[in-house]
Amino acid sequence: MASRGPPPGMGPIMVLNSKTQRSQGRQAQLGNINAARAVADIIRSTLGPRSMLKMLLDPMGGIVITNDGNCILREVDVSHPTAKSMIELSRAQDEEVGDGTTSVIILAGEMLINAEPFVRTNIHPTVIVRGYNYALQEALEICEKLALVVDVNDADKMKALVQSCIGTKFSSRWNDTMIDMALKAVLTVSRAIPMPVGSDSYSQKMEVDIKRYAKVEKIPGGEISDCTVLSGVMFNKDVTHSKMRRRIENPRILLLDSPLEYKKGESQTNVEITDEEDWNTLLKMEEEYVENMCMEIIAFKPDIVITEKGVSDLAQHYFAKANITAFRRLRKTDNNRVARATGATIVSRTDEIREEDIGTGCGLFEMRKIGEEYFAFFEECKDPKACTIILRGGSKDVLNEIERNLSDAMQVVRNVVFDPRLLPGGGATEMAVSVGLRKAGLKLEGIQQGPFLAVGEAMEVIPRTLSQNCGVSVIRTVTQLRAKHAAAYEEAEKTGGEDAFPKCNWGIDGTTGKLVDMEEFGIWEPFSV
């Protein structure tokens, strides 16, 4: 039978673009491993307290100075699909957990590097993946046993936790300020959502919406030690009329999202007037319409009126006469925050205002000038569920980096509010998992034992990188740490039989490179990281 080539007189039919590169099989897998290694090497030096900052040029020509793994990888332009998915991985980690973006990439890279010998010896990828999955289940069990439950309201424990998150960051010099700010902001914004009675787990669930209700205002100038979290909100607006009050104690606040000016028709209309009197009547009607709206508002005696739309000059005049301070064209997000902080409800029409819509939760309203701009402060709120974080600092780059560090810290606190379990930091958890997997791997048989043990080896990359970044002898430090954990295992087996689990919290002090007990050293990480 003749081979089925193209029809006579025709060349080969090209389906793909002739320039397309296509790699298959072994070559593709090794290419993937090299790509992962390259990505991991980019950010390896940004792990731990002795980490380096990276300076990047973003596409707009601005500079980014950071050691946040996700932030660096966001700016790196890669074309390899594996490298892209590694970057996605760090982004997912950043959105879900907030912290641990660097370690996630280093671990993933190391897992792939450790898979390389298996690929080269012709072990099928599914077998390797199966071994990895077994190891994952085992590792999660080890973490569950190591975990320590913490009380969210225990300030010292929480401080130690946030400390371990931002101790490795640029803002670590102002640690105490940062930690207090992160804790205060998250505990302000968190509120319990009552669940229907009879639902399982607990009858209350925590809602922590940092993105919407904890607004960060970056104001260049001043010192970093001037940063604060307000027990209320602020926004960048001035009063609409110069005669309005600029400081009010215990104000009554009314929030609107309707314009306080004469309504312009939706469709274009022409009015023909034959009599001069009718023109005056028309003007009078417009004025009366605005006056009516203002009177409906003034009837409730608010001290401050804030609207998302415009306020006409006539309305400003009425408000100034009634001694009411007015703001106009406030952003919807800011208005929602003011509503959460003061207990007001946003009203859509002036004729629907009720007494309970007025917010009375704010203790002090004041206009202040910071730098060149005026800011409205609503402070001393009773139980505000929204807050504004004011960041001050020398330059824009410094402020951006501090904002990133602070959002990491807030995410960490948020995760602990959701899941109050902690694990020891400083590479202790990774080492415990590594030693535990080695022990468990001896019980496995067959071809999966190799990949299973490889995960254990990959876990050691975190303590190894920590010691590398502070310049001590890597081999000696990691070997000592491994010996500590192995000794704890043997100790536990002697006393408690085969299945006993040792709680060994020894890790590496990332500043000096010495071995320390993380429980005394006080470095903990949230379970979710």
Side-chain angles (χ1 to χ4, degrees), residues 113-402:
I113 293 168
N114 278 6
E116 187 174 2
F118 302 123
V119 175
R120 286 194 189 280
T121 51
N122 282 346
I123 294 180
H124 198 279
T126 45
V127 176
I128 303 178
V129 171
R130 201 179 314 145
Y132 274 17
N133 276 339
Y134 281 146
L136 170 72
Q137 303 307 331
E138 186 69 32
L140 283 175
E141 280 175 24
I142 295 175
C143 287
E144 299 256 334
K145 291 175 187 164
L146 260 183
L148 169 94
V149 178
V150 64
D151 176 22
V152 183
N153 299 325
D154 175 5
D156 300 338
K157 259 286 189 299
M158 293 295 272
K159 274 188 182 167
L161 196 159
V162 183
Q163 163 77 39
S164 77
C165 163
I166 56 176
T168 64
K169 300 275 197 280
F170 168 75
S171 59
S172 54
R173 272 178 288 172
W174 303 276
N175 252 348
D176 296 344
T177 334
M178 288 289 149
I179 292 170
D180 292 341
M181 282 166 61
L183 279 174
K184 185 174 171 192
V186 176
L187 295 176
T188 302
V189 177
S190 68
R191 60 172 196 173
I193 312 173
M195 304 291 277
V197 183
S199 65
D200 53 317
S201 69
Y202 358 145
S203 59
Q204 280 195 336
K205 200 170 185 280
M206 296 303 277
E207 176 207 54
V208 186
D209 193 341
I210 301 173
K211 203 167 175 183
R212 213 176 284 163
Y213 296 118
K215 172 86 190 298
V216 178
E217 282 280 356
K218 296 178 291 208
I219 310 170
E223 303 246 331
I224 296 189
S225 46
D226 299 343
C227 301
T228 52
V229 175
L230 299 177
S231 56
V233 286
M234 66 168 263
F235 48 82
N236 184 356
K237 281 267 183 279
D238 199 1
V239 291
T240 46
H241 194 287
S242 53
K243 293 276 188 293
M244 292 175 175
R245 288 185 287 176
R246 305 179 77 81
R247 183 172 197 273
I248 306 172
E249 289 183 8
N250 297 327
R252 290 163 57 84
I253 300 173
L254 174 65
L255 304 177
L256 298 168
D257 66 353
S258 59
L260 298 177
E261 46 200 359
Y262 186 68
K263 245 211 204 101
K264 299 173 187 64
E266 292 287 322
S267 48
Q268 205 173 357
T269 44
N270 293 331
V271 181
E272 268 186 31
I273 295 173
T274 47
D275 196 0
E276 198 180 325
E277 285 301 305
D278 295 352
W279 174 242
N280 290 340
T281 317
L282 260 182
L283 289 181
K284 204 174 237 143
M285 280 164 71
E286 287 193 10
E287 282 184 15
E288 278 172 1
Y289 175 77
V290 174
E291 186 183 3
N292 258 342
M293 288 208 303
C294 293
M295 290 310 147
E296 282 167 352
I297 291 170
I298 292 170
F300 284 92
K301 299 191 180 63
D303 295 310
I304 301 173
V305 173
I306 302 176
T307 175
E308 292 169 26
K309 310 283 194 307
V311 176
S312 68
D313 295 350
L314 190 63
Q316 287 175 30
H317 160 76
Y318 284 125
F319 285 150
K321 244 170 58 178
N323 208 359
I324 293 174
T325 304
F327 292 94
R328 63 177 166 196
R329 305 204 190 287
L330 190 66
R331 283 202 207 100
K332 183 124 199 107
T333 49
D334 284 339
N335 213 4
N336 286 338
R337 266 194 297 281
V338 176
R340 274 275 284 248
T342 58
T345 317
I346 300 176
V347 187
S348 302
R349 295 178 51 163
T350 48
D351 48 7
E352 290 175 357
I353 304 174
R354 304 194 309 272
E355 177 56 42
E356 53 263 36
D357 295 335
I358 304 257
T360 52
C362 173
L364 172 69
F365 155 74
E366 193 171 16
M367 295 295 306
R368 291 181 203 151
K369 189 175 182 189
I370 301 179
E372 291 296 301
E373 313 216 0
Y374 283 100
F375 289 91
F377 283 79
F378 293 83
E379 292 186 309
E380 299 170 22
C381 297
K382 309 182 207 45
D383 191 26
K385 284 294 167 212
C387 64
T388 302
I389 303 161
I390 302 178
L391 295 184
R392 307 296 310 273
S395 70
K396 238 178 27 224
D397 297 328
V398 172
L399 282 175
N400 286 338
E401 177 60 5
I402 287 183

Side-chain angles (χ1 to χ4, degrees), residues 313-508:
D313 295 350
L314 190 63
Q316 287 175 30
H317 160 76
Y318 284 125
F319 285 150
K321 244 170 58 178
N323 208 359
I324 293 174
T325 304
F327 292 94
R328 63 177 166 196
R329 305 204 190 287
L330 190 66
R331 283 202 207 100
K332 183 124 199 107
T333 49
D334 284 339
N335 213 4
N336 286 338
R337 266 194 297 281
V338 176
R340 274 275 284 248
T342 58
T345 317
I346 300 176
V347 187
S348 302
R349 295 178 51 163
T350 48
D351 48 7
E352 290 175 357
I353 304 174
R354 304 194 309 272
E355 177 56 42
E356 53 263 36
D357 295 335
I358 304 257
T360 52
C362 173
L364 172 69
F365 155 74
E366 193 171 16
M367 295 295 306
R368 291 181 203 151
K369 189 175 182 189
I370 301 179
E372 291 296 301
E373 313 216 0
Y374 283 100
F375 289 91
F377 283 79
F378 293 83
E379 292 186 309
E380 299 170 22
C381 297
K382 309 182 207 45
D383 191 26
K385 284 294 167 212
C387 64
T388 302
I389 303 161
I390 302 178
L391 295 184
R392 307 296 310 273
S395 70
K396 238 178 27 224
D397 297 328
V398 172
L399 282 175
N400 286 338
E401 177 60 5
I402 287 183
E403 182 189 16
R404 276 192 290 271
N405 300 347
L406 191 67
S407 71
D408 272 8
M410 294 199 302
Q411 298 264 36
V412 166
V413 180
R414 186 195 69 177
N415 294 329
V416 177
V417 170
F418 284 157
D419 182 1
R421 289 181 297 177
L422 300 184
L423 288 170
T429 307
E430 286 83 0
M431 204 62 185
V433 169
S434 167
V435 174
L437 288 181
R438 271 208 191 92
K439 283 257 180 282
L442 300 177
K443 297 176 191 160
L444 272 185
E445 288 170 7
I447 205 166
Q448 279 155 18
Q449 187 180 20
F452 189 90
L453 293 174
V455 176
E457 277 169 40
M459 282 291 174
E460 284 185 9
V461 71
I462 300 285
R464 193 165 72 229
T465 312
L466 275 177
S467 50
Q468 210 171 343
N469 283 351
C470 52
V472 292
S473 159
V474 178
I475 297 174
R476 189 177 304 144
T477 314
V478 175
T479 313
Q480 284 172 347
L481 184 61
R482 195 183 299 141
K484 281 258 186 232
H485 281 264
Y489 257 91
E490 283 166 16
E491 191 67 31
E493 277 181 5
K494 278 180 196 161
T495 52
E498 276 288 295
D499 297 330
F501 185 78
K503 283 224 170 184
C504 179
N505 294 337
W506 283 80
I508 294 173

